[in-house]
Amino acid sequence: EPGIAGWRILLNGGFASVVTDANGMYTFTRVTPGTYTVSEEQQVSWVQTYPSTGTHSVSVDFNNDYAGFDFGNYQYSIIHGTKFHDTNNNGVRDIDEQGLAGWLIQLSGPTSDSLVTDEKGTYQFMNVVPGNYVVNEVQRSGWQQTAPATGTHTFTVTSGNFVDNIDFGNIPLGIVTGTKFEDLNGNAVRDSGEAGLPGWTIHLVGPTTRDTVTDDKGNYSFSYLLPGNYTISEEQQTGWTQTLPQSPDVYNRTVELGTVHNFLDFGN
């Protein structure tokens, strides 16, 4: 641990003072006998760690040297990073990938804190004391974390560090949407004026298997889908004939992270 230059050391609260040299050393000379208090002049953003009482007391006699009256300090550190939209799912923030605002980031260690990313997706923990730390993001439904690969950042902070690039990448899970409509002219195309049909059951089969029912406009959607191959089909109803899709009468799609498959419509 190196000495720190340029700190003012006080004898009896300022009766005399010296400044530490390049090695952090200081010396008071020609001190007359008596009892003295040795202290340091505090500096902004530094925390004193030694001595525990904050000062040293010493009784001085003639013709003696006194050593070991040391002072220890550490400087607060900063931890900085960005929460970003990893659009290509490569676990690295590329130049065109935007930050994500409003995500909660947590710091655990000798200093524990949490904060929310700003409008650019950045965050910054201030006044961090030295020690071992873990930084994690609070996961959100519908998103898959891509960076860091371990899920969290673990590192050691020493005095006066600026720890940067503690980044988190995420990509939204897949989405499938469509409309169930009445194909009035039976041409397997949704023409103007052909209304959606509510209350029809749509089946999704794949890594995520789920059913849903079309809303009052005939729309349906499946969100938060894991990557993989899917089949989307409708549950037939008596008295109706399916016109869309045709041959096969189901949709087969490969869903990847962040992909949206729209207009998977069913006509009857």
Side-chain angles (χ1 to χ4, degrees):
E1 295 181 329
I4 306 175
W7 281 65
R8 185 167 296 279
I9 308 300
L10 310 174
L11 193 64
N12 278 2
F15 169 75
S17 67
V18 294
V19 175
T20 58
D21 65 16
N23 297 313
M25 301 292 293
Y26 72 91
T27 303
F28 288 102
T29 60
R30 297 187 179 184
V31 179
T32 60
T35 300
Y36 293 88
T37 297
V38 186
S39 61
E40 67 176 9
E41 186 174 85
Q42 300 300 317
Q43 294 194 19
V44 175
S45 81
W46 288 83
V47 178
Q48 185 174 348
T49 60
Y50 185 82
S52 59
T53 58
T55 62
H56 295 286
S57 294
V58 56
S59 294
V60 174
D61 295 327
F62 282 113
N63 299 320
N64 283 322
D65 293 331
Y66 299 86
F69 297 98
D70 300 337
F71 294 91
N73 293 70
Y74 69 79
Q75 193 171 26
Y76 285 128
S77 297
I78 297 172
I79 297 173
H80 180 271
T82 302
K83 169 70 189 170
F84 66 95
H85 186 180
D86 189 10
T87 54
N88 61 3
N89 191 31
N90 69 346
V92 177
R93 189 184 184 194
D94 300 304
I95 192 169
D96 59 341
E97 292 180 334
Q98 301 298 311
L100 294 171
W103 284 66
L104 184 63
I105 308 297
Q106 296 176 323
L107 174 71
S108 300
T111 301
S112 293
D113 199 359
S114 63
L115 46 75
V116 174
T117 57
D118 65 16
E119 69 278 1
K120 295 182 179 180
T122 63
Y123 70 91
Q124 186 162 280
F125 292 107
M126 306 289 291
N127 299 331
V128 177
V129 305
N132 297 321
Y133 286 90
V134 175
V135 182
N136 68 279
E137 66 173 14
V138 175
Q139 301 296 320
R140 282 190 180 182
S141 178
W143 290 80
Q144 179 78 32
Q145 185 175 349
T146 62
T150 57
T152 62
H153 293 280
T154 302
F155 51 89
T156 299
V157 172
T158 57
S159 175
N161 279 177
F162 180 78
V163 185
D164 200 5
N165 300 318
I166 307 301
D167 299 339
F168 294 91
N170 286 69
I171 192 168
L173 297 172
I175 298 173
V176 167
T177 72
T179 301
K180 170 69 188 173
F181 68 95
E182 185 172 7
D183 188 7
L184 295 174
N185 59 8
N187 68 346
V189 176
R190 189 181 185 192
D191 302 307
S192 177
E194 294 183 332
L197 295 171
W200 284 65
T201 298
I202 308 297
H203 302 294
L204 176 79
V205 177
T208 301
T209 296
R210 197 183 305 156
D211 293 337
T212 192
V213 175
T214 57
D215 64 16
D216 58 351
K217 295 181 180 180
N219 298 322
Y220 74 91
S221 66
F222 295 103
S223 302
Y224 311 149
L225 304 182
L226 296 171
N229 297 319
Y230 286 87
T231 298
I232 304 96
S233 62
E234 67 172 12
E235 185 171 302
Q236 301 298 320
Q237 292 192 17
T238 302
W240 291 83
T241 298
Q242 183 175 335
T243 61
L244 183 72
Q246 299 174 323
S247 187
D249 58 359
V250 299
Y251 291 103
N252 295 298
R253 292 291 186 273
T254 298
V255 173
E256 298 177 351
L257 290 173
T259 60
V260 179
H261 295 272
N262 289 325
F263 308 114
L264 304 187
D265 298 339
F266 293 90
N268 287 64

